[in-house]
Amino acid sequence: MTATHAADDHDRIRVQGARENNLKDVSVDIPKRRLTVFTGVSGSGKSSLVFGTIAAESQRMINETYSAFVQGFMPSLARPDVDSMSGLTTAIIVDQERMGANSRSTVGTATDANAMLRILFSRLGEPHIGSPQAFSFNIPSVQGSGAMTIEKGAESVEISRTFSQLGGMCPRCEGMGSVNDIDLTQIYDASKSLLEGAITVPGYTADGWAVKLYAESGFFDPSKKLGDYSEQELHDLLYKEPVKVKVSGINISYEGLVSKLQKSMLSKDVDAMQPHIRAFVERAVTFTACPECGGTRLNEGARASRIGGVNIADACSMQISDLAAWVRTLDDPSVAPLLAGLRELFDSFVDIGLGYLSLDRPSGTLSGGEAQRTKMIRHLGSSLTDVTYVFDEPTIGLHPHDIQRMNTLLRQLRDKGNTVLVVEHKPEAIAIADHVVDLGPGAGSAGGTICFEGTVDELRHSGTLTGRHLDDRARLKDAVRPSTSALEVRGARTHNLQGVDVDLPLGVLTVVTGVAGSGKSSLIHGSVSGRKGVVSIDQGAIRGSRRSNPATYTGLLEPIRKAFAKENGVKPALFSANSEGACPNCNGAGVIYTDLGPMSTVSSPCEVCEGKRFDASVLDYKLGGRDISEVLAMPVDEAERFFATEGKVPAAHAILKRLVDVGLGYLSIGQPLTTLSGGERQRLKLATAMAEKGEVYVLDEPTTGLHLADVENLLGLLDRLVASGKSVIVIEHHQAVMAHADWIVDIGPGAGHDGGQVVFEGTPADLVAERSTLTGQHLAAYVGA
């Protein structure tokens, strides 16, 4: 019998005394080369343990193996708050962060598929036009010539140089695929003068510096109505080329308003803008496909070179499942390894359930689930083993039919000898775990401890919140609510929709479902969201800095500041950490950042305010016995009680009540927005939108990030919205929400060009009875019919 090798003892990842965020001295042993699922209510500490502790420490230690010079180019990671860790392996994080919303980034550029296709066309394309960069829409064609002088010994030698680069960028749209036109009526009011606020662009107030530049430029009379301007004056205001002018004794560059807006706003990606700027741009600007390249982003040369009648623009616009079939028809020994790589890559797209995408799809338009699965693709064929893969709810955006496929992929990664750590809520995904770690028992300060470790069967009988709800199954409703009227959609053709006609009933809860990529979001966001009275709430990132928090985002901080000011007879600005009340040492950030050049930037709590962000004198002012820093540190639940009793601020209480209603009672009202998950962001938007005067609410997968026990609360909230006279339309895959619906619209039958049709309209009971669609079959199995 052979003796056990010492190296075989290290078969566990050991965490001792983890205190990151709300973790309370957590110690846990996680088996290696197994699939471990972390469960627990939202905010219980799952992500703090998996991402904030295990993955963060693994990445930090790997980064430290590089030289200080190389580390200077890498993101700096602080050491997690943990006593000790051992048995760590290289961590590969596959999270839900949206892929860069850069308007030049597409599915093809993000996965290196475009790079491989460019090489293919540069070798096999007829006519041959040049190197791979001749097929890149991000590289312009440039040429230049000139002379330079080089000192050689005692004499100077003049050398002439010429330079040329052949790129594939369309010169008209500069590789963006679309051109924009500005509606001038949306940027100025002709009935007013500049001094009366004629410019209606956000940030251009009549008394602001931006308008002062135009008013004092000397090119026109600032008190004259814009409607009375001569043709030359209007041209100078809107389109004048950059020139130097003197304003208030300062030399400054003057440029026409339209030209300035083109550079400052219109060159940016719409999805990356702040909400009020985005609303202005969507109102004032019309984006149309570039007439020169037809939206392909490529110049004429790149479009002319073809392989078997297909150019690179055609290839990128094909559905990836079709593109995979086209690549299989190519057979040229000179590029055999390249073709093999492309086949493998495109097959991975199909295997992971993304065969319906095309390579020219902008990456910023992918959902969180699609982005996560796109990132997975590069790991599926990897030869690496004994690494730790960390997934954040990989079933997000997946139909029950697709979850089975995702489970197979997770098992394949494990069976190659990898450790797979998954943060998950769906019972179908928890069921395949080798080991389960359940955190809780509650959220925020009521969580942060390990309630259970063991197998799925042991979890069922453990008595924990997750164990009790694991086998929960919603029942079909005995009676559905009758609709009052209907929202008509006619001839919808957004993306893959095939001229869809559908009536969405109003006054009830309508669920739009179907497999991933079937056209649900295209139907609702393309034909319903923009209508009057429709409030649309998606999972897009909330724009804001690390100073932004739920209190600032929801407008909660305003009534709180005013209440503090009134109570103490001082200015409201004192109670803002971004204004007069800020700690002078850290400028209201609460931490001091020390830049060590090529070494990691060090952040440490401010010694003066001890991380409270406010000047000490401000903390002497109290409201209901609490200072402003203590109020901002409260969880929403506690703050809601406080402002109903001791603090008595009705405006603040109303906002906090909405946050509790959407299941965010555990969040601290001063917690940075950058720390929120996709589901938390959506519920924060929902709480804010509930104050709006909309008649129809559109929600995009509101169960994202919700524990099984919280889904019940969400259904109660949706019922309350409908009971108050609102119409609720939900894009959803969760069977509990489908079962609870009054009306279901099922889109399919497949994804991409195999979808885009309404395959069922009716009540959940009819869908289960018919079992005519994939959704019907899975819902019937779920409710035990």
Side-chain angles (χ1 to χ4, degrees):
M1 184 176 165
T2 53
T4 305
H5 196 287
D8 295 334
D9 293 337
H10 300 278
D11 58 350
R12 292 188 168 265
I13 296 172
R14 290 191 165 88
V15 180
Q16 295 287 328
R19 291 176 297 278
E20 196 68 20
N21 297 328
N22 67 331
L23 296 179
K24 296 170 181 168
D25 260 329
V26 164
S27 297
V28 63
D29 284 7
I30 299 162
K32 287 187 185 175
R33 294 177 286 282
R34 296 291 181 273
L35 198 158
T36 301
V37 173
F38 294 79
T39 62
V41 295
S42 299
S44 60
K46 304 182 299 296
S47 295
S48 299
L49 177 60
V50 179
F51 292 93
T53 305
I54 298 171
E57 180 65 357
S58 171
Q59 290 212 314
R60 188 185 72 84
M61 295 181 81
I62 289 166
N63 288 1
E64 284 187 353
T65 64
Y66 296 104
S67 67
F69 173 74
V70 173
Q71 285 183 51
F73 297 97
M74 303 171 87
S76 57
L77 300 163
R79 187 181 187 282
D81 189 359
V82 59
D83 290 340
S84 68
M85 297 180 73
S86 62
L88 289 176
T89 66
T90 306
I92 294 173
I93 297 174
V94 190
D95 59 18
Q96 294 169 40
E97 279 302 307
R98 296 292 173 111
M99 299 174 79
N102 184 314
S103 38
R104 293 187 179 280
S105 174
T106 64
V107 170
T109 60
T111 57
D112 297 335
N114 269 32
M116 295 162 79
L117 277 178
R118 290 198 296 267
I119 299 170
L120 183 71
F121 275 87
S122 71
R123 302 294 168 86
L124 302 184
E126 291 292 338
H128 175 76
I129 60 166
S131 68
Q133 65 185 21
F135 295 91
S136 171
F137 55 74
N138 285 330
I139 298 177
S141 295
V142 294
Q143 52 190 14
S145 61
M148 60 182 180
T149 304
I150 299 177
E151 300 287 342
K152 286 191 174 180
E155 58 182 38
S156 299
V157 180
E158 193 170 271
I159 300 175
S160 293
R161 287 274 190 269
T162 59
F163 167 77
S164 68
Q165 167 184 280
L166 179 64
M169 179 187 285
C170 167
R172 169 76 189 274
C173 64
E174 297 183 350
M176 303 297 277
S178 63
V179 290
N180 50 50
D181 201 12
I182 292 183
D183 179 359
L184 297 181
T185 62
Q186 295 292 340
I187 66 170
Y188 70 83
D189 181 348
S191 66
K192 294 180 180 176
S193 68
L194 286 174
L195 297 180
E196 291 170 335
I199 298 178
T200 54
V201 179
Y204 285 72
T205 52
D207 55 352
W209 175 256
V211 172
K212 189 175 185 178
L213 167 62
Y214 290 102
E216 297 184 19
S217 63
F219 295 123
F220 25 70
D221 179 358
S223 55
K224 181 176 171 183
K225 287 183 171 49
L226 267 61
D228 298 332
Y229 275 24
S230 67
E231 198 173 311
Q232 183 60 46
E233 286 174 326
L234 201 56
H235 179 273
D236 287 346
L237 172 67
L238 300 175
Y239 303 108
K240 193 170 183 67
E241 294 292 315
V243 291
K244 289 288 183 190
V245 296
K246 193 165 266 191
V247 176
S248 301
I250 303 168
N251 279 328
I252 198 162
S253 181
Y254 173 98
E255 188 175 9
L257 180 61
V258 169
S259 310
K260 187 179 276 190
L261 292 179
Q262 292 275 10
K263 290 175 185 171
S264 66
M265 291 184 188
L266 308 188
S267 61
K268 294 177 182 172
D269 189 75
V270 178
D271 292 327
M273 295 175 176
Q274 291 174 297
H276 69 292
I277 303 284
R278 185 195 309 187
F280 162 73
V281 170
E282 287 172 346
R283 195 172 63 242
V285 184
T286 54
F287 292 90
T288 53
C290 171
E292 195 160 305
C293 67
T296 63
R297 305 171 178 236
L298 294 159
N299 61 25
E300 196 175 347
R303 300 196 309 273
S305 183
R306 295 174 181 270
I307 301 174
V310 174
N311 66 23
I312 192 167
D314 297 333
C316 289
S317 64
M318 281 184 198
Q319 189 166 303
I320 289 173
S321 54
D322 296 340
L323 183 57
W326 176 73
V327 169
R328 279 197 192 85
T329 65
L330 304 179
D331 184 19
D332 191 309
S334 66
V335 288
L338 186 62
L339 289 171
L342 278 168
R343 286 184 198 117
E344 194 175 317
L345 177 62
F346 295 148
D347 286 345
S348 294
F349 268 103
V350 176
D351 288 344
I352 209 164
L354 293 177
Y356 60 87
L357 295 179
S358 60
L359 296 182
D360 61 4
R361 170 91 172 258
S363 56
T365 64
L366 298 180
S367 69
E370 286 171 337
Q372 187 174 28
R373 299 202 295 286
T374 301
K375 292 176 199 171
M376 270 184 83
I377 283 167
R378 65 182 56 199
H379 305 302
L380 291 180
S382 171
S383 307
L384 288 173
T385 60
D386 251 332
V387 298
T388 300
Y389 286 98
V390 187
F391 292 95
D392 189 3
E393 293 187 59
T395 58
I396 279 180
L398 288 183
H399 188 272
H401 170 71
D402 300 310
I403 290 177
Q404 295 168 355
R405 190 184 280 173
M406 175 60 73
N407 284 348
T408 303
L409 294 170
L410 293 174
R411 285 194 191 107
Q412 282 174 1
L413 283 174
R414 174 201 63 192
D415 294 346
K416 280 168 62 178
N418 298 306
T419 304
V420 181
L421 308 182
V422 183
V423 172
E424 191 50 88
H425 291 292
K426 293 266 177 73
E428 301 97 320
I430 296 171
I432 65 163
D434 301 310
H435 188 71
V436 179
V437 178
D438 190 24
L439 283 98
S445 57
T449 60
I450 288 180
C451 302
F452 168 82
E453 283 184 81
T455 65
V456 179
D457 278 337
E458 289 167 351
L459 174 67
R460 279 196 173 89
H461 304 104
S462 64
T464 66
L465 192 65
T466 307
R468 291 199 305 273
H469 288 274
L470 194 58
D471 293 319
D472 275 4
R473 296 292 181 266
R475 290 188 314 110
L476 293 173
K477 288 201 292 197
D478 296 327
V480 295
R481 285 170 283 227
S483 72
T484 50
S485 57
L487 196 67
E488 292 185 0
V489 176
R490 295 289 178 267
R493 297 190 178 278
T494 309
H495 299 314
N496 65 329
L497 295 177
Q498 299 174 21
V500 167
D501 295 338
V502 67
D503 291 341
L504 299 168
L506 296 177
V508 298
L509 173 60
T510 303
V511 170
V512 180
T513 187
V515 296
S518 59
K520 306 178 299 297
S521 297
S522 300
L523 175 66
I524 301 304
H525 294 311
S527 301
V528 177
S529 289
R531 299 192 186 186
K532 190 178 178 187
V534 175
V535 178
S536 185
I537 304 132
D538 60 17
Q539 290 180 34
I542 293 174
R543 304 291 159 188
S545 67
R546 55 187 167 215
R547 288 174 177 268
S548 305
N549 53 49
T552 57
Y553 181 78
T554 58
L556 171 65
L557 199 55
E558 196 61 31
I560 292 176
R561 281 200 300 250
K562 286 178 178 170
F564 265 96
K566 187 177 178 184
E567 180 77 9
N568 296 282
V570 291
K571 289 192 296 185
L574 278 176
F575 303 98
S576 169
N578 299 327
S579 186
E580 292 180 31
C583 164
N585 189 47
C586 62
N587 294 323
V591 289
I592 301 288
Y593 296 98
T594 310
D595 185 5
L596 300 177
M599 308 295 284
S600 297
T601 299
V602 174
S603 64
S604 52
C606 172
E607 292 178 6
V608 176
C609 67
E610 296 176 338
K612 292 180 178 176
R613 302 175 62 194
F614 291 90
D615 185 74
S617 61
V618 175
L619 302 182
D620 291 336
Y621 301 117
K622 309 275 184 180
L623 177 71
R626 308 283 187 105
D627 65 43
I628 184 70
S629 70
E630 289 171 332
V631 167
L632 290 176
M634 286 181 184
V636 169
D637 277 333
E638 185 186 338
E640 191 249 344
R641 291 191 296 272
F642 174 77
F643 285 110
T645 52
E646 304 105 285
K648 206 135 192 79
V649 182
H653 179 258
I655 295 171
L656 288 160
K657 182 79 176 67
R658 291 198 294 271
L659 287 171
V660 172
D661 282 348
V662 297
L664 292 178
Y666 61 90
L667 284 187
S668 154
I669 62 175
Q671 183 177 332
L673 290 186
T674 49
T675 63
L676 301 189
S677 69
E680 286 168 340
R681 284 195 297 263
Q682 187 180 25
R683 298 203 294 285
L684 187 60
K685 287 181 186 175
L686 174 59
T688 310
M690 279 164 65
E692 295 180 25
K693 297 289 182 278
E695 294 304 314
V696 180
Y697 284 89
V698 171
L699 282 79
D700 194 347
E701 293 192 53
T703 58
T704 298
L706 277 187
H707 187 266
L708 298 161
D710 295 326
V711 171
E712 233 170 273
N713 298 335
L714 176 77
L715 294 175
L717 171 66
L718 298 180
D719 277 341
R720 287 198 297 278
L721 280 172
V722 175
S724 69
K726 310 290 185 188
S727 304
V728 181
I729 299 171
V730 182
I731 301 169
E732 190 54 85
H733 293 293
H734 202 297
Q735 295 104 316
V737 183
M738 292 183 210
H740 200 73
D742 299 305
W743 192 258
I744 287 187
V745 176
D746 194 8
I747 310 290
H753 57 48
D754 298 324
Q757 302 170 45
V758 174
V759 291
F760 175 84
E761 288 178 80
T763 65
D766 290 342
L767 178 64
V768 167
E770 285 184 25
R771 288 179 172 78
S772 57
T773 69
L774 276 172
T775 306
Q777 291 158 23
H778 282 277
L779 185 57
Y782 176 83
V783 298

